């Protein structure tokens, strides 16, 4: 009984404290054919699964939804992009919503169709650039033979690419976003303050597969000064949230089937807080964003009536 009442008690305490926002964490479960899931938290540390899918994937050849990334635009609209398939798709899925319950028609955005040998488009990540009033979308793709192979196979030698859009109707020409000299995936842009940006990235080379940082003067970089890894190996899917004056970096420790987290103030020194966070089992690669407590209440009602 107490376990069932816990979310309600948290909400009552949260409401009494006067905060108007909650944290949401987009998610998917394997085998990635069911669609968008959402976790919620009142403090950014302890997460509860709404235990419902809110959007079934229809875009792309495989009709999958992996790595769902959500950002809220300046008008309050939530924008969602996701990986539609492991191989073959040369773009990603897109949809938008005002309430995270009712969604627009899904679209497939073919950002790599101009490169016919592109193997994949993985983990598109959204960022709203307040300075340029544009949405930035970055993702990892492999174009065989384009870069020095190193120790990776040609079909697994990724670099990061990007496009920008003011409205998800028109998009800029796809360009190279990051070539750190090794296979890189799962990058996340973070604005520290004006003119100072951090980039969390996954070194995808064997045997590394860990998280590193790079730094740049704008959302589009250029990002340089890649530091030594701040996690162990076999890590993926980072996302970042600011709690007061500190940043939490969540990531999927996929061999152990748990979520880990680091805390930092400067993205140069890190404290492992994995034992302080609680992420439900089955949760996979998503992004943390904010919503209103009213929107959460509506999501909870929708989940209860599934």
């Amino acid at each position: 009984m107490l376990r069932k009442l816990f979310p309600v008690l948290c909400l009552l305490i949260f409401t009494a404290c006067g905060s108007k926002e909650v944290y949401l964490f987009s998610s998917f479960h394997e085998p990635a054919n069911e669609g968008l899931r959402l976790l919620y938290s009142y403090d950014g540390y302890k997460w509860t699964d709404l235990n419902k899918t809110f959007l079934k994937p229809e875009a792309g050849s495989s009709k999958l939804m992996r790595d769902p990334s959500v950002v809220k635009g300046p008008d309050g609209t939530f924008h969602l992009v996701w990986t539609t398939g492991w191989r073959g798709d040369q773009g990603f899925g897109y949809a938008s919503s005002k309430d995270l319950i009712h969604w627009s028609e899904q679209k497939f955005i073919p950002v790599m169709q101009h490169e016919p040998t592109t193997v994949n488009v993985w983990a598109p990540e959204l960022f709203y650039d307040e300075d340029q009033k544009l949405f930035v979308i970055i993702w990892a793709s492999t174009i065989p033979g384009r870069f020095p192979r190193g120790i990776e196979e040609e079909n697994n030698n990724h670099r990061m690419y990007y496009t920008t859009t003011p409205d998800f109707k028109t998009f800029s020409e796809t360009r190279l976003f990051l070539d750190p000299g090794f296979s890189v995936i799962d990058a996340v842009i973070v604005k520290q303050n004006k003119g100072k940006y951090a980039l969390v990235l996954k070194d995808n080379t064997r045997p590394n597969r860990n998280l590193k940082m790079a730094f740049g003067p704008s959302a589009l970089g250029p990002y340089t000064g890649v530091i030594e890894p701040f996690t162990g190996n076999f890590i993926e899917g980072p996302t970042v949230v600011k709690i007061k004056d500190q940043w939490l970096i969540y990531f999927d420790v996929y061999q152990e089937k748990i979520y880990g987290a680091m805390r930092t103030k400067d993205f140069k020194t890190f404290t492992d807080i994995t034992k302080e966070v609680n992420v439900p089992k089955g949760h996979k690669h998503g992004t943390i964003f904010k919503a209103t407590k009213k929107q959460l209440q509506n999501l909870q009602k929708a989940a209860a009536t599934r």
Side-chain angles (χ1 to χ4, degrees):
M1 178 63 71
L2 288 176
R3 183 177 296 178
K4 291 181 179 179
L5 289 174
F6 181 73
V8 177
L9 292 172
C10 286
L11 182 57
L12 290 174
I13 295 170
F14 185 74
T15 303
C17 292
S19 178
K20 295 181 179 180
E21 291 185 309
V22 296
Y23 301 100
L24 296 181
F25 203 155
S26 60
S27 173
F28 76 96
H29 286 186
E30 298 288 6
N33 60 350
E34 294 179 344
L36 175 67
R37 293 176 178 268
L38 294 170
L39 315 181
Y40 67 90
S41 175
Y42 302 111
D43 62 3
Y45 286 77
K46 309 300 182 186
W47 297 88
T48 301
D49 195 338
L50 284 164
N51 199 26
K52 177 183 173 65
T53 54
F54 291 91
L55 182 65
K56 182 176 176 59
E58 298 294 343
S61 59
S62 300
K63 303 294 188 292
L64 298 179
M65 181 180 289
R66 307 183 66 84
D67 323 315
S69 175
V70 178
V71 71
K72 184 164 66 173
D75 66 348
T77 300
F78 295 97
H79 299 275
L80 166 68
V81 295
W82 66 92
T83 305
T84 58
W86 279 103
R87 298 284 191 275
D89 284 0
Q90 296 180 343
F92 52 77
Y94 167 75
S96 64
S97 174
K98 288 290 187 180
D99 59 6
L100 299 166
I101 300 171
H102 305 94
W103 290 88
S104 68
E105 180 182 357
Q106 297 176 42
K107 296 180 181 179
F108 182 78
I109 312 298
V111 288
M112 295 299 286
Q113 66 177 359
H114 63 291
E115 294 281 3
T117 62
T118 298
V119 174
N120 58 336
V121 172
W122 280 1
E125 186 75 21
L126 282 166
F127 178 83
Y128 182 67
D129 187 347
E130 297 174 344
D131 297 332
Q132 300 298 319
K133 310 301 181 189
L134 290 171
F135 294 92
V136 179
I137 312 166
I138 61 176
W139 65 89
S141 284
T142 294
I143 304 175
R146 183 61 52 88
F147 297 96
R149 199 183 89 176
I151 63 174
E152 292 304 305
E153 297 179 359
E154 284 293 354
N155 287 347
N156 200 43
N157 192 22
H158 298 81
R159 296 300 186 272
M160 297 298 301
Y161 295 84
Y162 81 94
T163 186
T164 63
T165 179
D167 53 12
F168 293 90
K169 297 177 182 177
T170 59
F171 295 84
S172 68
E173 178 183 349
T174 294
R175 296 182 182 277
L176 182 68
F177 179 76
L178 180 69
D179 172 18
F182 53 81
S183 181
V184 58
I185 65 173
D186 293 1
V188 177
I189 301 169
V190 182
K191 184 178 182 179
Q192 294 177 268
N193 49 55
K194 188 173 180 60
K196 189 176 182 180
Y197 290 76
L199 187 73
V200 187
L201 59 101
K202 178 183 177 181
D203 179 346
N204 200 45
T205 57
R206 276 59 177 165
N208 298 329
R209 289 173 281 188
N210 49 34
L211 299 185
K212 298 179 176 180
M213 298 295 312
F215 304 92
S218 73
L220 295 179
Y223 288 93
T224 58
V226 177
I227 68 170
E228 290 300 306
F230 63 90
T231 68
N233 293 351
F234 305 108
I235 304 294
E236 66 184 10
T239 187
V240 184
V241 60
K242 191 173 187 181
I243 309 293
K244 297 181 180 179
D245 65 339
Q246 297 181 317
W247 302 90
L248 307 189
I249 306 174
Y250 280 85
F251 45 85
D252 187 348
V253 189
Y254 56 89
Q255 279 198 333
E256 298 180 32
K257 293 181 170 50
I258 64 168
Y259 246 76
M262 291 285 184
R263 185 165 53 212
T264 182
K265 285 189 174 182
D266 57 8
F267 293 98
K268 295 180 181 179
T269 58
F270 304 87
T271 300
D272 190 338
I273 59 167
T274 298
K275 292 184 179 179
E276 298 179 38
V277 303
N278 184 6
V279 180
K281 290 183 178 180
H283 173 71
K284 299 289 290 184
H285 191 158
T287 56
I288 298 174
F289 58 100
K290 290 182 178 180
T292 67
K293 61 184 180 183
K294 180 62 176 177
Q295 287 169 330
L296 173 58
Q297 289 169 353
N298 290 336
L299 286 167
Q300 289 171 320
K301 290 177 182 176
T305 58
R306 62 183 187 278

